[in-house]
Structure formats: C-alpha cells, structure tokens
Amino acid sequence: LWRKQENRVALLHTLSGHTGRVAQAVFSPDGRTVATAGEDKLIRLWNVADGSLQQTYPARNENNLSLDDAHCEPITSLAFSPDGQYLISGDAGNKVKLWDSQTGFLQEEPKPDGDTITQVTFSSDGKTFAVLANDRQIQVLNLVGDIEYKLSRHSSRVNALSIDLKANILVSASEVGELMVWDLAEGTLIESFEALDLGSAETNAEINSATTNGATEAATDSAFDSEAANTAGGEAAPETSLDKR
C-alpha cells in the first residue's frame, strides 16, 4: 500500500500472504479495507491502517477447515457493493461468486454466459452487477444470479468498464477503441463514440486540416482585433514582456 504525501508517494504497508500473482486489489467503500486476489484462488481482506490480514475467503469453520466454496481457477476481478455489504469475484473459468464481506461466507454463485470473467462491477444501488466475459457483450445480473439483460452493441471484444455510481451510468470500451455509454438501470444505450483510426491517411488529413483551419482562424482573429484596437483607440495596447525574475 502506498500513501501520497504532497509531491511524493511513500510506502505505507507491504501486504504479504498470497502464494501467486495478485491480479486485483480494490478498496472497500469506506476506505478502511483493501481486498486482493489472484492466482492462488483466494481472496484476502487487509486493514488499511496497519496492514494486518483481516480475513481470507472462503471462510473457515470452527475446525479451521476451508469450506468448499473456493474458486477453482485464478481470480481475475473483484468489486465491493456500494454499501460494502458484498464482495463479488470472477475467475478465469467463467465462475462468479458473491460473498458476504463481513462473514466471508458465499451467498450466491451467479452463472453468466461466456468465457473468462475479465471484470465485474456493481450498479449504484447494489442490486445488480455488470460482468465482462471476454467477448463483445456486457451482462447485467441481479444478486440471485439471474441475467437481467445483455448489452451487445460493440463490434469487437469489450475490454474495460467504468461506472458513475451517482448517475448509474456505465461506460464500456472495446479493443478497437469504441466507447459506449449505457443507462445501467434501463439497460439502454445513451450514446456511442466510434474509434478514430489515427494511422489512416484520411484521418490524418482531417486532423491536419482542422489544425490548419484553426490556426488560420486564430491568426485572422488576432489581426482583426489588432486593427480594431488601432482604429478605435489610435494605438493598440502595448505588448507585455515576461517577468524574468
């Protein structure tokens, strides 16, 4: 864990315990806990204040035996619900698990369609969550695991999601640069943005033309303003020089 202090970043704690590569680290909504997960298929919760291990999922019973709820494949994504009550995890084998963040006990095992789970994220009310499964669609499920709807307007694989919790708006980005803005409550597309091929001659010509036109307009405006100042006041305002102190 790192803490930003003025113009530098200082090491706060080193969290040791995982036996494989850590793929995800997410803060709880209150900022007091950080959850981590990865190749060892376990989820660990840490105290941000002192770096101590608080809990490991799946929870263990009174005989210190792990309950049979663990992921069978490396965990690829984690997300807390907005109220911090739940933690959801997805793995490389298309398994999603919903955990009680206080007890560490498994609550549900939603079953989305598709392949490897690459990202999970909650809606603003915490009643649904969005899942990316290494394909062109986004699946929105409820907490009992039912698929509410699928958002499937992208022309290529979706590789990133971001959610505005206040507005309950989801933004998705594909591997070819498409951006789409969704109303997560209704499952409807609000707006889409096509990717620019910055390597194409046509696009570069358009950018150069826009830049040239903008520079020409700015120069014309500047000349017009100067002429207007001379006409109105007899002389233009004196040029200012840089203070070299």
Side-chain angles (χ1 to χ4, degrees), residues 1-5 8-15 48:
L1 285 176
W2 302 85
R3 182 188 297 279
K4 184 178 180 182
Q5 297 179 334
R8 66 188 185 90
V9 177
L11 180 63
L12 185 62
H13 304 296
T14 298
L15 310 178
V48 171

Side-chain angles (χ1 to χ4, degrees), residues 73-86:
E73 299 290 340
I75 297 172
T76 56
S77 187
L78 292 174
F80 277 101
S81 61
D83 61 4
Q85 181 180 356
Y86 298 110

Side-chain angles (χ1 to χ4, degrees), residues 15-38:
L15 310 178
S16 300
H18 284 287
T19 58
R21 184 178 65 90
V22 175
Q24 281 278 290
V26 294
F27 281 98
S28 61
D30 62 11
R32 297 178 180 178
T33 303
V34 62
T36 59

Side-chain angles (χ1 to χ4, degrees), residues 63-134:
N63 296 319
N64 201 36
L65 297 175
S66 178
L67 300 178
D68 190 23
D69 294 327
H71 282 276
C72 297
E73 299 290 340
I75 297 172
T76 56
S77 187
L78 292 174
F80 277 101
S81 61
D83 61 4
Q85 181 180 356
Y86 298 110
L87 181 69
I88 195 165
S89 56
D91 70 24
N94 192 37
K95 299 297 183 183
V96 173
K97 295 178 183 287
L98 182 70
W99 309 86
D100 184 308
S101 65
Q102 301 301 313
T103 65
F105 292 127
L106 185 66
Q107 302 298 296
E108 293 289 344
E109 288 188 88
K111 293 178 173 57
D113 298 332
D115 198 350
T116 299
I117 304 300
T118 57
Q119 190 173 348
V120 291
T121 185
F122 271 97
S123 62
S124 59
D125 60 9
K127 295 180 180 179
T128 59
F129 58 91
V131 174
L132 280 184
N134 201 32

Side-chain angles (χ1 to χ4, degrees), residues 120-163:
V120 291
T121 185
F122 271 97
S123 62
S124 59
D125 60 9
K127 295 180 180 179
T128 59
F129 58 91
V131 174
L132 280 184
N134 201 32
D135 55 21
R136 295 185 296 176
Q137 67 181 0
I138 304 150
Q139 300 173 64
V140 179
L141 295 87
N142 58 34
L143 297 186
V144 296
D146 299 324
I147 298 177
E148 296 277 324
Y149 38 78
K150 297 179 180 180
L151 313 178
S152 54
R153 298 285 293 275
H154 281 282
S155 63
S156 64
R157 185 174 66 88
V158 182
N159 55 16
L161 295 178
S162 181
I163 188 168

